[in-house]
Amino acid sequence: MKDYCPNGIQVEGRASVKRIVGGVTASQALIDAAVEQNACAILVHHGYFWKGEAQPITGIKKKRIKQLLVNDISLLAYHLPVDIHAECGNNAQLALRLGIDITGPLELGNPRSVGQVGRLDKAVTVEQFSEHVTNKLGRQCEFVGEPNRLIQNIGFCTGAAQGMIDLAVSQNLDAYLSGEISEPTVHVARETGVAYFAAGHHATEKGGIQALGQHLQEKFDIEFEFIDIDNPV
């Protein structure tokens, strides 16, 4: 599967791993927390070395990588693999948290579709679902659509996948949910009647690393702690 960054070990630290700190993004704040907790490795969804990113290791990139190397901490990053995994993936975990029963892929004919389609056990209004998402994710969920309109069949894809609302439209779904929202998304939702929910990039992508870390903890008898570095986006 093509991805936008290397998956796996991005920075190599100590050979033996006893304690892992997890987070959504390998920010300086997460690295500082890992150092404070004497972690052997950091596990994230958003690591480094993205396609199109400037290659020189300067500025904040230098500071982050230097701190990892000095403290012998490995950085493990998994992007699309953590998005699509059927159990530990961001989308699978989001569906579990929101009570959405996955019924098929958002990208028809693609067995590795990142986005998914699901169904609520009963129809709710757009406003009710927005409140439900807000309560479950701990972040205000914005929506575009008629507040009192009933919805049940929902397409969704965590992160910055607002552009995939067109796939929800093509499947005649009631609504589509992602993390972020762009200016064109508003018009698509208004003009097609497919309600759109912006639940937060960070908020929708915590579940994958949390589930993967828990799996590693149980399988290898290591310590894992997810550290939620606040991010309003």
Side-chain angles (χ1 to χ4, degrees), residues 83-158:
D83 282 326
I84 69 172
H85 195 276
E87 296 177 6
C88 295
N90 282 324
N91 287 290
Q93 290 295 312
L94 181 66
L96 187 64
R97 185 165 296 185
L98 298 182
I100 300 173
D101 180 28
I102 295 178
T103 58
L106 186 62
E107 301 169 80
L108 292 176
N110 181 1
R112 291 189 173 183
S113 174
V114 180
Q116 301 294 322
V117 172
R119 184 176 175 86
L120 300 174
D121 60 0
K122 66 177 182 179
V124 297
T125 68
V126 167
E127 188 170 39
Q128 286 172 334
F129 186 68
S130 176
E131 292 172 353
H132 171 66
V133 175
T134 296
N135 291 334
K136 290 294 183 180
L137 300 186
R139 187 263 193 197
Q140 182 63 45
C141 176
E142 306 294 339
F143 69 86
V144 180
E146 293 295 328
N148 296 322
R149 179 169 171 264
L150 290 174
I151 59 171
Q152 190 166 18
N153 297 306
I154 300 173
F156 59 96
C157 187
T158 65

Side-chain angles (χ1 to χ4, degrees), residues 153-218:
N153 297 306
I154 300 173
F156 59 96
C157 187
T158 65
Q162 59 269 37
M164 295 174 76
I165 188 175
D166 291 337
L167 297 177
V169 173
S170 69
Q171 291 201 45
N172 296 313
L173 301 178
D174 300 324
Y176 177 66
L177 178 150
S178 189
E180 299 185 21
I181 188 167
S182 298
E183 194 270 348
T185 317
V186 175
H187 301 296
V188 174
R190 286 175 177 170
E191 294 174 31
T192 64
V194 174
Y196 182 73
F197 299 90
H201 192 141
H202 178 85
T204 58
E205 297 201 319
K206 293 190 288 187
I209 292 298
Q210 288 173 327
L212 178 56
Q214 183 65 34
H215 171 74
L216 294 175
Q217 181 172 261
E218 295 171 356

